[in-house]
Structure formats: C-alpha cells, structure tokens
Amino acid sequence: MTRRTATLVTSIVVLVITLGLVTVFPVPFVSFSPGPVKNTLGESKGKPVIEISGHATFPTTGELDLTTVSVTSPDRELTLPQAMRNWLDPHHDLFPRDIIYPPEQSADEVEQQNTAEMTGSQDSAVAAALQEAKVPYKPKVSTVSKGSPSDGKLKPGDIVLKVDGVTPTQVPQVGELVRKHKIGDPVTFLISRGGKEQTVVLKPAATPGDEKRPMVGITIGVDSPVKVTVNLGQDIGGPSAGTAFAIAIYDKLTDGDLLAGKHVAGTGTIDALGQVGAIGGIQQKIAGAKNDGATVFLVPGPNCEAALHAGVDGIRLVKITTLHEAIEALKALASGTGDVPACTK
C-alpha cells in the first residue's frame, strides 16, 4: 500500500468514525412539534371529556379542540441528525434543554408539576365558566401549604364565608382581602367546616420571592352544587388548556348553539376571573389544529405576533384576552354579525 493510499484509507476511516459518533452523541436541545388535539365537547376513552352534574346541561354542536405541543421527553435526548430535521421543519422548534427541563428537576418532578398545573387550570376554568354563566358558588379552601400560617388551622374543603367580615363571592377576592393586610397583621376567616361555622385568625407571612406580598398559604377553589369532571387522565399536562375547558363548560351550562357546528380550536391559560394568559408553542398548536380540520383558532392576545408567523393557511386567528371576549367572538362567528377580534400585523 502506497503512502497516498494509506492516507486516503485513514481519512475515510476517521470520517466514518466521526460521522458515527455524530449520530450517537446527544445535543443539548429539545424539540417542539404539533401535538395531539382533544375535542373538549367530545369523548375520550368512551366518556365525555367534560361531565357536569348538579345543573341543567344543554346539547352542543361542533368541535372545540384543546391543542397541545409534543416535547422531547425528559428521559430522551436528541442526536444531531434529529435536531437538524426538527430545525428544517417549519412547524417544529428547538429550545435549549436546560430552559425546558431545569437540571435541578427530575423527570418525575416535571411530570408532577405538569399534572398540578393541569389540575389548577381545570379549577380556574370551572370558576370562570360558572361566573360567566351566572351560576353562583362559594369559595372554598383547595390546598394548604405545609409550614404556612394556615397549616393546622384551615383544611381543604373549608368553605370561606367571610374574610374580615366581607363575604367573598369570587375566588380571587379571598387573596385580595388577605393582601390588604401587612405581613404579621391578623386576618379573620369565618369558615364552615362539616356544616359548622367557626372563626380562624391567621397572621399572613411573606410570599416566597416577594417579601412585601402577604400570604396565608392556601389555594382557593369552588364550592357549588355544580360538579365538573374532566376525563383526560394523565394524557395532557400543563395549564394551557384552561381556556378551552372554560368555554366547553360554559357551552354545556347555557342554552344556545355557541359554535353553530364549527370546528374551533384554541389555547390559553385562564384564571378564576376569566383572564386569558399567554402560552408556549403557539405555532405548533396552530399547525396541529389545522391538521385536525379546525377553521378557527382562539389565540391569547400576547401570542398574536408569533401566531401570525405560524405559516399555516386556511385557519382564522381570533384574538382573545378574556373568557367573555372568547364567547362573544364565537357568538359573532355563529351569527355572522358583530365584531370578531383578529390577530393582525
């Protein structure tokens, strides 16, 4: 073998080994791609996605899809070729792994956080929908944080009748009344536990990360004869389905053809007052909705600019900032009259 031939063979071997290593070693990125959609007015595994008892319900038409993003799982790593394929696809995105999965969190902790956020979004959706449908409810204690001022004094299920003599009629009012106090100043709760009223005095502590903001360490849910069950199991996590849940609950609780048979999709977090918040992965969610046949997509206001760059044709982007705006927009679409706010450049 000549020196030239040996050099060529060695170069080829090195190249093959290098290419082999490139396809095996992971890169520090995760991919975002269009995920599955779920019709919140339909069924999942033989059960209605949303079941309501304790109140009259009305038939619905059309489809109202919650949308999701498929993200590289915490226990899987992308290789360079896989990352390149995602980078070249206009409906996929790449993000640094440490941003999506902080190194200090385990895969189980990420899953638990996503599940907790989904449960919280459902509670907020119920409160917002009941308020929009004008169905009365009472605030109740949902959770009590260990070591907080409420630990050992309040319990999950306690009905909050009054805070400092004021009767709260909405979930956020409880926190607002607490925040009128200075840290350490007593706040008086009148609660009902097991049908018996009792007074509980708490001294607010500083909120972790915000030393000037008082808190008592509870989350507030809804006590109402109306019971809402969401049958999705552990398939979907995170808070971004809250707006779709709230619209679906409202549609079932109220008479009238809200969707008029249209195929609508959307996304957005929601709080108990019906404020719609921004989410991640808007472009992937629009692409997934279009693939499923949706013709209208409800976009949280802060996500409009990114939504306009989704590169998806044939789907109408409707801008929403509150549950009330979303419902009014859907009514206008159904009737063909009235304003429908749009994402515009």
Side-chain angles (χ1 to χ4, degrees):
M1 181 182 293
T2 67
R3 181 177 295 179
R4 183 176 180 180
T5 302
T7 301
L8 179 61
V9 170
T10 301
S11 298
I12 291 172
V13 170
V14 171
L15 178 62
V16 169
I17 292 173
T18 301
L19 290 174
L21 291 174
V22 162
T23 61
V24 172
F25 280 101
V27 292
F29 292 93
V30 297
S31 69
F32 272 31
S33 59
V37 303
K38 291 283 187 180
N39 177 17
T40 56
L41 297 175
E43 294 189 346
S44 177
K45 299 177 182 178
K47 290 184 177 181
V49 172
I50 292 177
E51 289 186 288
I52 299 176
S53 61
H55 192 281
T57 56
F58 300 88
T60 61
T61 67
E63 296 181 47
L64 178 62
D65 291 342
L66 65 83
T67 52
T68 66
V69 174
S70 289
V71 185
T72 309
S73 62
D75 54 0
R76 180 172 166 255
E77 296 180 308
L78 293 179
T79 62
L80 181 59
Q82 291 170 331
M84 290 299 295
R85 283 198 296 272
N86 280 280
W87 182 69
L88 292 170
D89 190 316
H91 296 144
H92 289 220
D93 266 327
L94 288 175
F95 291 91
R97 186 179 186 86
D98 287 355
I99 292 177
I100 307 302
Y101 299 125
E104 65 272 12
Q105 281 188 306
S106 67
D108 286 343
E109 288 172 336
V110 170
E111 185 175 345
Q112 290 170 7
Q113 180 179 330
N114 285 338
T115 300
E117 288 176 342
M118 171 61 86
T119 301
S121 75
Q122 292 171 9
D123 291 342
S124 295
V126 172
L130 292 180
Q131 180 177 298
E132 187 68 25
K134 295 181 170 54
V135 177
Y137 66 83
K138 293 178 182 177
K140 74 172 180 181
V141 177
S142 288
T143 63
V144 179
S145 298
K146 261 190 173 182
S148 72
S150 297
D151 191 12
K153 294 187 175 183
L154 294 178
K155 295 181 179 181
D158 288 347
I159 310 301
V160 181
L161 302 177
K162 292 185 178 182
V163 180
D164 288 334
V166 178
T167 302
T169 57
Q170 298 174 346
V171 166
Q173 282 182 289
V174 177
E176 290 168 2
L177 290 167
V178 169
R179 287 190 290 274
K180 288 184 177 181
H181 290 258
K182 293 180 179 179
I183 293 168
D185 287 349
V187 53
T188 303
F189 279 70
L190 178 64
I191 63 167
S192 174
R193 180 183 297 166
K196 295 182 179 179
E197 293 186 8
Q198 55 183 284
T199 298
V200 176
V201 179
L202 305 171
K203 291 186 177 181
T207 301
D210 188 349
E211 295 183 356
K212 295 183 179 180
R213 184 182 176 93
M215 66 88 186
V216 293
I218 58 175
T219 61
I220 299 294
V222 169
D223 180 69
S224 168
V226 183
K227 303 301 178 187
V228 179
T229 304
V230 178
N231 297 308
L232 282 178
Q234 303 297 315
D235 294 343
I236 296 172
S240 66
T243 296
F245 286 141
I247 295 171
I249 295 166
Y250 173 88
D251 196 9
K252 286 174 173 276
L253 288 174
T254 56
D255 195 8
D257 199 0
L258 183 61
L259 299 187
K262 296 183 185 301
H263 191 162
V264 177
T267 187
T269 64
I270 201 162
D271 66 17
L273 281 177
Q275 301 291 321
V276 175
I279 51 81
I282 187 68
Q283 297 180 353
Q284 289 73 40
K285 290 179 178 180
I286 293 171
K290 175 62 178 174
N291 291 341
D292 195 59
T295 58
V296 175
F297 195 97
L298 303 175
V299 183
N303 291 119
C304 265
E305 184 176 352
L308 290 169
H309 293 90
V312 180
D313 296 324
I315 191 164
R316 186 171 183 175
L317 304 180
V318 177
K319 178 182 177 180
I320 58 171
T321 60
T322 66
L323 174 60
H324 183 73
E325 281 185 4
I327 289 169
E328 290 302 306
L330 291 172
K331 288 179 179 178
L333 287 168
S335 66
T337 60
D339 293 331
V340 180
C343 288
T344 55
K345 293 182 181 179

